């Protein structure tokens, strides 16, 4: 019998190696996300994975589900009801339309052009990529805003839109996943309504209990196990009763903050530290799925997804801004700030592999999202900078990078 | 010594503001001498309803100096967080009948600088400062050591 290394060893190596490469990448001004992906790729079956007999088995699915549950909880908890009221019509319109734009463009592009590239399973493939297309990585956009001290209407609206659109992306993804569960349209509608309704209800009940716990637990160290336990409980319940773990965790985050009231530090601060760890896990695991053959055979799909999503984001954001009477500056340039895509998209791609409908094509989905994440990480900040400079919101004085000065050679 | 006795010997009155105050006004109050890192939010009927720290207000008012944001911080930044949004409504506190040693244990255990003291109606009576208690304990240790000599 062939001896495989223990799961803990694989995971430990991926996290440590990913983190080391990420830190090194930051020092030389390279995107950290790309370094995490490269760390995973190094341990993929086509490279060192085969030498060390690395196997990304079912344990990775469980880990991905829990990690995405944590991210969904944080996304749900980032809003309060009064904040929703203050956000304003224009931001909602831009966030909604740019998400719909990306989803629609990606779906149509793959559905119409997929057969030319000899892609099989066109409808599920188009649905899978469309459901991932809405999400945006806020970190890349915020880094550019910070670096150039950007300020003005485009910058403010951009910030609000990137904060909202992961929530919209997760809702669209969960709804799409619920619809694929049924065998007919009526059946699908019934399944989807049950899944979404149960997810929100379970999130609400668990949120109420979590808020009660956090109200009475004043030791910071004890709040963490309560919160993590609640997320695991909701994710587990979702798996057992077949409802959406992502929607349930988002409801848990949103409603626990609602029931507890104010700040939200007690509910989220202990978990926020985990966000980077979760993304390291996503990127290195996705990197470990890397396959040279899939990259080689599906380069056309990679380009198709990349350009269709960019066009959808640009057109959707402009339409959303136009419909609410935004200034011309906003209508023309806001879409450029919404191009980066990273962590949540990779997490969603990894999750799709667990669904029976997408299992067969999961390796294609993960590899395409992996490749486009790398491209978005490299060109996304350039898009953001371009849009902001065209809008006239970038100051000429660039902030000094926070790296140590190099000694003279 | 219980907290009631402590407060009569150390009448530290904390800064308080109402939930409708603006963040920039709060910052001005906190930065005025004597400088304080904590401020307490009281309702219209003077009941203690929340707590805010200097760092939290600074994060909210000067976000452009931060390279990284959590999702909550992005939303706070965009929606211009109010005192009600930001304040911590679940804070640690002491009651007047509690023993000073127990309160000091709490300050150490939860790594906090000061603890508000409230009565049964949530009215703010004062604060117990970590440094004041520490100074008292050090003096007490020295006196005890001298007595032994």
């Amino acid at each position: 019998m062939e001896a495989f290394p223990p799961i803990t060893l694989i995971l430990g190596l991926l996290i440590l190696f990913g983190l080391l490469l990420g830190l090194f990448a930051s020092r030389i001004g390279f995107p950290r996300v790309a370094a995490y992906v490269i760390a995973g790729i190094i341990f993929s079956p086509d490279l060192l994975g085969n030498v060390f007999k690395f196997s990304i088995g079912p344990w990775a699915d469980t880990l991905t589900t829990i990690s995405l549950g944590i991210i969904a909880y944080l996304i749900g908890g980032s809003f309060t009801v009064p904040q929703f009221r203050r956000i304003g019509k224009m931001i909602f319109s831009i966030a909604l339309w740019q998400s719909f734009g990306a989803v629609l463009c990606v779906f149509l592009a793959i559905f119409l052009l997929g057969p030319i590239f000899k892609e099989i399973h066109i409808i599920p493939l188009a649905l899978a990529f469309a459901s991932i297309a809405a999400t945006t990585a806020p970190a890349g956009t915020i880094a550019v805003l910070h670096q150039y001290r950007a300020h003005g209407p485009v910058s403010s609206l951009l910030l609000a839109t990137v904060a909202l659109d992961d929530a919209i992306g997760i809702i669209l993804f969960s709804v799409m996943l619920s619809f694929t569960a049924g065998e007919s349209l009526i059946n699908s509608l019934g399944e989807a309504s049950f899944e979404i309704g149960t997810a929100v209800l379970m999130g609400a009940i668990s949120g109420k209990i979590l808020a009660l716990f956090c109200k009475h637990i004043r030791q910071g160290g004890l709040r963490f196990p309560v919160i993590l336990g609640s997320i695991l409980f909701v994710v587990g319940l979702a798996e057992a009763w077949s409802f959406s773990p992502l929607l349930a965790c988002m409801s848990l985050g949103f409603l626990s903050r609602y029931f507890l009231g104010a700040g939200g530090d007690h509910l989220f601060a202990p978990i926020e530290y985990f966000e980077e760890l979760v993304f390291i896990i996503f990127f290195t695991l996705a990197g470990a799925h890397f396959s040279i053959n899939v990259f080689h055979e599906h380069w056309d799909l990679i380009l198709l997804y990349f350009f269709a999503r960019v066009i959808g984001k640009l057109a959707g954001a402009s339409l959303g801004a136009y419909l609410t009477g935004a200034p011309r500056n906003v209508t023309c340039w806001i879409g450029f700030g919404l191009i980066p895509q990273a962590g949540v998209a990779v997490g969603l791609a990894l999750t799709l592999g667990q669904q029976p409908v997408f299992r067969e094509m999961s390796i294609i989905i993960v590899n395409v999202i992996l490749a486009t994440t790398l491209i978005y990480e490299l060109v996304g900040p350039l898009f953001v900078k371009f849009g902001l400079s065209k809008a006239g919101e970038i100051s000429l004085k660039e902030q000094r990078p926070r790296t140590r000065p190099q000694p003279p050679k | 010594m219980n907290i009631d006795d402590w407060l009569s010997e150390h009448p530290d009155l904390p800064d308080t503001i109402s939930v409708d105050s603006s963040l920039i006004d709060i910052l001005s109050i906190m930065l005025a001498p004597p400088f304080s890192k904590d401020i307490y939010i009281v309702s219209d009927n003077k009941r203690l309803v929340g707590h805010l720290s200097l760092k939290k207000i600074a994060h909210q008012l000067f976000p452009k100096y931060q390279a990284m944001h959590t999702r909550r911080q992005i939303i706070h930044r965009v929606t211009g967080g109010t005192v009600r949004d930001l304040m911590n409504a679940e804070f640690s506190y002491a009651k007047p009948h509690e023993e000073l040693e127990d309160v000091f244990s709490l300050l150490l255990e939860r790594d906090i600088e000061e603890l508000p003291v409230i009565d049964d109606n949530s009215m703010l009576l004062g604060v117990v400062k970590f440094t004041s208690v520490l100074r008292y304990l050090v003096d007490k240790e020295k006196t005890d050591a001298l007595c032994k000599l």
Side-chain angles (χ1 to χ4, degrees):
Chain A
M1 205 175 114
E2 214 170 358
F4 289 102
I7 294 162
T8 42
L9 181 66
I10 300 175
L11 201 57
L13 260 177
L14 284 176
I15 292 171
L16 286 176
F17 194 58
L19 189 66
L20 279 177
L21 266 190
L23 289 173
F24 176 70
S26 291
R27 286 293 279 267
I28 57 168
F30 199 68
R32 219 168 42 224
V33 166
Y36 296 156
V37 172
I38 290 165
I41 288 176
I42 290 171
F43 290 104
S44 66
D46 286 339
L47 297 163
L48 286 183
N50 196 29
V51 180
F52 294 122
K53 302 278 179 281
F54 264 36
S55 159
I56 306 293
W59 60 269
D61 290 347
T62 309
L63 199 63
T64 307
T65 311
I66 295 169
S67 303
L68 257 183
I70 291 174
I71 297 293
Y73 170 75
L74 289 176
I75 291 173
S78 54
F79 305 94
T80 61
V81 178
Q83 284 173 333
F84 257 127
R85 289 197 197 111
R86 287 203 299 272
I87 273 179
K89 208 167 61 176
M90 191 181 292
I91 295 170
F92 272 116
S93 174
I94 296 170
L96 273 176
W97 282 103
Q98 59 89 28
S99 297
F100 288 145
V103 169
L104 199 68
C105 264
V106 168
F107 180 82
L108 286 177
I110 295 174
F111 181 68
L112 297 173
L113 299 176
I116 302 172
F117 304 136
K118 301 183 186 66
E119 294 296 349
I120 48 162
H121 310 299
I122 283 303
I123 292 181
L125 205 61
L127 268 176
F129 283 115
S131 67
I132 297 172
T135 60
T136 307
T141 304
I142 290 166
V144 176
L145 290 173
H146 174 76
Q147 188 179 1
Y148 295 97
R149 298 272 193 264
H151 58 90
V154 177
S155 308
S156 307
L157 287 168
L158 194 55
L159 208 55
T161 312
V162 291
L164 265 181
D165 90 342
D166 272 350
I168 298 172
I170 284 189
I171 293 171
L172 288 176
F173 178 85
S174 305
V175 170
M176 188 282 298
L177 226 52
S178 310
F179 270 98
T180 55
E183 283 156 6
S184 66
L185 187 64
I186 302 284
N187 196 280
S188 293
L189 266 173
E191 287 269 354
S193 311
F194 169 78
E195 282 197 21
I196 295 163
T198 318
V200 174
L201 183 69
M202 285 301 140
I205 295 169
S206 314
K208 179 75 187 168
I209 296 168
L210 176 59
L212 271 175
F213 265 121
C214 281
K215 206 176 176 72
H216 293 103
I217 296 176
R218 293 188 198 281
Q219 293 96 321
L222 292 184
R223 271 185 229 119
F224 174 70
V226 171
I227 299 164
L228 189 63
S230 302
I231 296 172
L232 291 178
F233 175 75
V234 167
V235 168
L237 216 55
E239 281 186 349
W241 291 353
S242 302
F243 60 84
S244 164
L246 293 178
L247 279 185
C249 286
M250 258 180 77
S251 314
L252 174 71
F254 182 78
L255 291 163
S256 58
R257 191 172 176 186
Y258 173 78
F259 290 126
L260 189 64
D265 281 353
H266 290 186
L267 287 166
F268 304 100
I271 293 284
E272 273 162 354
Y273 292 109
F274 271 71
E275 203 165 19
E276 189 70 14
L277 173 68
V278 164
F279 286 143
I280 295 176
I281 291 172
F282 280 167
F283 292 124
T284 50
L285 277 183
H289 282 80
F290 168 77
S291 158
I292 293 172
N293 284 341
V294 176
F295 260 66
H296 181 68
E297 282 169 25
H298 299 278
W299 62 269
D300 41 16
L301 197 58
I302 292 169
L303 290 179
L304 192 62
Y305 176 81
F306 175 80
F307 284 111
R309 183 175 167 275
V310 169
I311 293 166
K313 286 265 171 189
L314 293 178
S318 293
L319 180 66
Y322 176 78
L323 288 176
T324 45
R328 194 177 146 72
N329 220 15
V330 174
T331 310
C332 291
W333 306 116
I334 192 161
F336 287 90
L338 302 166
I339 306 302
Q341 188 178 42
V344 178
V346 172
L348 297 180
L350 287 169
T351 307
L352 278 177
Q354 300 166 27
Q355 310 301 317
V357 187
F358 302 108
R359 197 161 287 151
E360 213 177 304
M361 63 194 80
S362 71
I363 190 77
I364 301 173
I365 298 167
V366 172
N367 274 277
V368 169
I369 295 298
L370 200 59
T372 50
T373 295
L374 286 176
I375 303 171
Y376 286 130
E377 275 299 302
L378 294 172
V379 303
L382 300 178
F383 273 107
V384 182
K385 188 182 163 192
F386 172 77
L388 290 172
S389 66
K390 281 286 181 189
E393 293 189 8
I394 281 185
S395 73
L396 292 172
K397 193 180 147 203
E398 182 179 339
Q399 201 216 345
R400 198 163 54 86
R402 288 165 70 183
T403 51
R404 245 184 247 170
Q406 296 297 311
K409 283 181 184 166
Chain B
M1 183 189 276
N2 71 15
I3 296 301
D4 211 10
D5 299 335
W6 173 264
L7 284 184
S8 46
E9 279 178 31
H10 301 82
D12 285 320
L13 282 174
D15 292 327
T16 57
I17 39 125
S18 77
V19 276
D20 304 315
S21 312
S22 80
L23 289 177
I24 200 83
D25 288 345
I26 297 173
L27 205 53
S28 307
I29 294 170
M30 293 175 89
L31 292 174
F35 162 80
S36 70
K37 286 182 184 170
D38 300 273
I39 198 158
Y40 297 92
I41 296 103
V42 288
S43 65
D44 292 341
N45 51 11
K46 302 292 173 203
R47 283 167 198 246
L48 182 62
V49 290
H51 164 261
L52 266 175
S53 70
L54 186 70
K55 278 266 176 71
K56 196 160 183 181
I57 301 172
H59 276 291
Q60 174 62 33
L61 287 177
F62 303 102
K64 65 177 180 181
Y65 297 104
Q66 275 176 260
M68 289 168 81
H69 289 54
T70 63
R71 287 169 205 277
R72 275 188 308 139
Q73 284 171 334
I74 301 175
I75 297 295
H76 277 314
R77 183 174 169 178
V78 168
T79 55
T82 61
V83 171
R84 208 182 287 273
D85 291 332
L86 285 178
M87 73 178 193
N88 179 11
E90 302 301 326
F91 47 85
S92 301
Y93 56 82
K95 290 285 179 99
H97 60 80
E98 286 183 66
E99 288 299 314
L100 183 66
E101 284 78 7
D102 296 335
V103 171
F104 186 64
S105 298
L106 203 69
L107 288 166
L108 280 174
E109 183 191 308
R110 296 186 193 170
D111 195 19
I112 39 186
E113 296 285 326
E114 60 178 46
L115 206 61
V117 181
I118 55 170
D119 64 12
D120 291 338
N121 296 317
S122 296
M123 305 296 270
L124 185 62
L125 304 174
V127 286
V128 178
K129 290 188 174 172
F130 178 75
T131 45
S132 304
V133 184
L134 201 58
R135 198 175 294 125
Y136 164 79
L137 290 174
V138 169
D139 289 346
K140 200 175 158 208
E141 289 280 316
K142 278 183 187 168
T143 318
D144 288 353
L146 276 174
C147 286
K148 275 181 194 168
L149 282 174

